[in-house]
């Protein structure tokens, strides 16, 4: 375990001009005292780790030291070639760069590991879009991706309802979700961070100037927070249902999974027939009707009365259809 940590420490220092003991401790998930001992061990092993003292001091590699990728195990080398989604790289216009990078990594590996890209590709394939959808790559995606990569402000026009709006944006990051591309950006001049769907952009023009990225911005954390906010914001109605044990099992597959799990966790004990009564947040009664219909006889709608009556009519029509 310590050997792997020492290798990771060298790679971290190789990728940055310098790092403080606190930064290294956070990345390596150890104490600062352990960082100090590890730096000493690397120095004794011939790795030129130098410690700058003082308030803004830290650790760095001297003499242009670079390590080769000869310490990779086979599983690590194969995992390295799975670190991207090929279709996504192609859509962003980065396929050539990714291909060149893979060739360079392959050349740096030991001869016994140079088939790692082929063995990984034959065992794992990443396909991001949903089933039964033919995703169309947004025409403006490569231009947006280039601006994201270069930290360049963009002037973007996008559809908002029936209108078109123009904004100057600082594009921080791109997210591919279920086959759709989203831009996480901040309105130029210190505005709020927002999410824009790329296929709603009608024009994008990159400016000459670059913006200064906020160091505190964390793209995965920001997306997770906004995605959860969005999911909750559209659940504006509630229905009360009784579910059989099979209905309980299938509920997260027909409605929002997080809301279903939370609703089931709040539900009381099952009745004598092993049915559970659940209060479930839904987008609308119309959407709930379509979703709960998929559960068939494993669900009984108790409220609101409007939705229950709709299921009563459905049941009567089915009985008439199949009764003969």
């Amino acid at each position: 375990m310590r050997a792997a940590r020492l290798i990771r420490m060298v790679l971290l220092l190789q990728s940055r001009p310098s790092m403080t003991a606190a930064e290294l401790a956070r990345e390596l998930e150890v104490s600062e005292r352990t960082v100090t001992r590890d730096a000493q061990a690397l120095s004794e092993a011939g790795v030129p780790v130098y410690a700058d003292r003082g308030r803004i001091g830290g650790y760095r590699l001297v003499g242009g030291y670079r390590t080769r990728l000869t310490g990779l195990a086979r599983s690590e080398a194969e995992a390295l070639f799975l670190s991207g989604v090929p279709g996504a790289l192609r859509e962003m216009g980065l396929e050539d760069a990714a291909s060149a990078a893979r060739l360079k990594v392959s050349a740096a590996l030991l001869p016994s590991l140079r088939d790692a890209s082929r063995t990984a590709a034959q065992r794992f394939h990443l396909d991001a879009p949903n089933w039964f959808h033919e995703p169309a790559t947004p025409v403006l995606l490569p231009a947006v991706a280039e601006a994201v990569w270069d930290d360049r402000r963009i002037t973007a026009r996008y559809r908002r309802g029936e209108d078109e709006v123009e904004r100057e944006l600082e594009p921080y990051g791109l997210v591919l979700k279920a086959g759709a591309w989203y831009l996480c950006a901040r309105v130029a001049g210190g505005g709020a961070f927002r999410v824009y769907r790329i296929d709603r952009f009608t024009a994008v023009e990159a400016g000459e100037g670059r913006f200064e990225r906020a160091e505190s911005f964390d793209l995965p954390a920001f997306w997770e927070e906004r995605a959860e906010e969005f999911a909750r914001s559209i659940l504006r109605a509630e229905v009360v249902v009784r579910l059989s044990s099979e209905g309980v099992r299938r509920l997260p597959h027909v409605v929002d999974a997080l809301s279903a799990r939370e609703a089931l966790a709040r539900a009381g004990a099952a009745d004598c027939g092993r049915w559970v009564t659940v209060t479930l947040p839904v987008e609308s009664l119309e959407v709930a009707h379509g979703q709960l219909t998929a559960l068939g006889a494993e669900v009984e709608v108790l409220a609101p009365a409007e939705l229950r009556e709709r299921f009563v009519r459905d049941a009567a029509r089915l009985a008439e259809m199949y009764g003969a």
Side-chain angles (χ1 to χ4, degrees):
M1 180 179 292
R2 190 189 185 200
R5 189 176 71 241
L6 292 174
I7 292 172
R8 190 177 174 202
M9 183 174 179
V10 172
L11 293 174
L12 284 169
L13 292 174
Q14 186 172 291
S15 66
R16 307 179 194 181
S18 68
M19 294 183 70
T20 66
E23 290 171 336
L24 283 167
R26 186 166 55 252
E27 290 281 354
L28 300 172
E29 299 181 348
V30 296
S31 66
E32 293 186 33
R33 185 183 296 273
T34 299
V35 168
T36 301
R37 289 198 298 265
D38 285 353
Q40 181 64 33
L42 287 171
S43 180
E44 292 172 357
V47 178
V49 178
Y50 182 79
D52 290 312
R53 308 210 178 267
R55 185 173 59 84
I56 58 174
Y59 293 93
R60 59 186 174 89
L61 295 174
V62 296
Y65 179 84
R66 308 290 293 178
T67 183
R68 291 176 59 83
L69 298 176
T70 52
L72 287 176
R74 170 163 289 277
S75 61
E76 295 170 330
E78 290 172 345
L80 185 63
F81 288 98
L82 292 173
S83 59
V85 182
L89 293 172
R90 181 172 59 253
E91 291 176 6
M92 288 189 292
L94 297 176
E95 185 176 27
D96 290 343
S99 177
R102 285 193 294 269
L103 287 173
K104 290 178 180 179
V105 170
S106 295
L109 292 172
L110 290 172
S112 61
L113 299 179
R114 287 178 186 167
D115 66 340
S117 62
R118 183 182 61 81
T119 57
Q122 293 304 316
R123 286 163 175 79
F124 301 98
H125 177 67
L126 306 177
D127 186 8
N130 271 341
W131 285 103
F132 313 119
H133 287 80
E134 196 66 38
T137 302
V139 175
L140 297 173
L141 176 61
V144 176
E146 185 175 354
V148 168
W149 197 254
D150 290 341
D151 292 340
R152 291 189 182 277
R153 288 189 178 92
I154 61 172
T155 300
R157 292 186 62 83
Y158 64 95
R159 294 188 302 274
R160 190 168 67 183
E162 297 181 356
D163 301 323
E164 275 198 4
V165 180
E166 183 173 291
R167 291 284 186 273
E168 186 179 1
L169 302 174
E170 296 175 351
Y172 269 69
L174 287 166
V175 175
L176 175 61
K177 172 71 172 178
W181 284 96
Y182 297 87
L183 173 67
C184 301
R186 184 165 66 176
V187 177
F193 284 99
R194 297 177 181 174
V195 176
Y196 302 85
R197 185 159 167 153
I198 299 294
D199 59 11
R200 292 179 183 164
F201 283 9
T202 58
V204 170
E205 182 178 348
E208 292 298 324
R210 289 182 169 86
F211 63 91
E212 192 73 25
R213 293 179 68 93
E215 292 296 327
S216 59
F217 181 79
D218 183 327
L219 179 60
F222 171 78
W223 176 259
E224 182 178 359
E225 179 183 342
R226 287 305 171 90
E228 185 173 332
E229 286 178 4
F230 173 75
R232 293 185 185 281
S233 70
I234 64 174
L235 302 177
R236 299 170 182 167
E238 279 189 348
V239 299
V240 181
V241 297
R242 288 178 70 237
L243 296 163
S244 68
S245 56
E246 177 63 12
V248 168
R249 186 188 71 81
R250 289 166 51 188
L251 185 67
H253 300 287
V254 299
V255 301
D256 177 70
L258 177 61
S259 298
R261 288 193 292 268
E262 291 180 350
L264 290 169
R266 293 192 300 268
D271 59 24
C272 57
R274 298 183 64 186
W275 285 61
V276 176
T277 300
V278 176
T279 300
L280 183 69
V282 294
E283 184 174 345
S284 67
L285 298 188
E286 181 68 30
V287 171
H289 176 261
Q291 293 173 329
L292 296 175
T293 295
L295 295 179
E298 307 304 327
V299 62
E300 177 190 2
V301 175
L302 302 180
E306 174 188 349
L307 184 59
R308 180 178 175 86
E309 289 167 5
R310 187 165 179 178
F311 274 87
V312 168
R313 291 195 297 271
D314 289 347
R317 289 177 60 197
L318 287 171
E320 182 180 357
M321 183 182 298
Y322 290 101

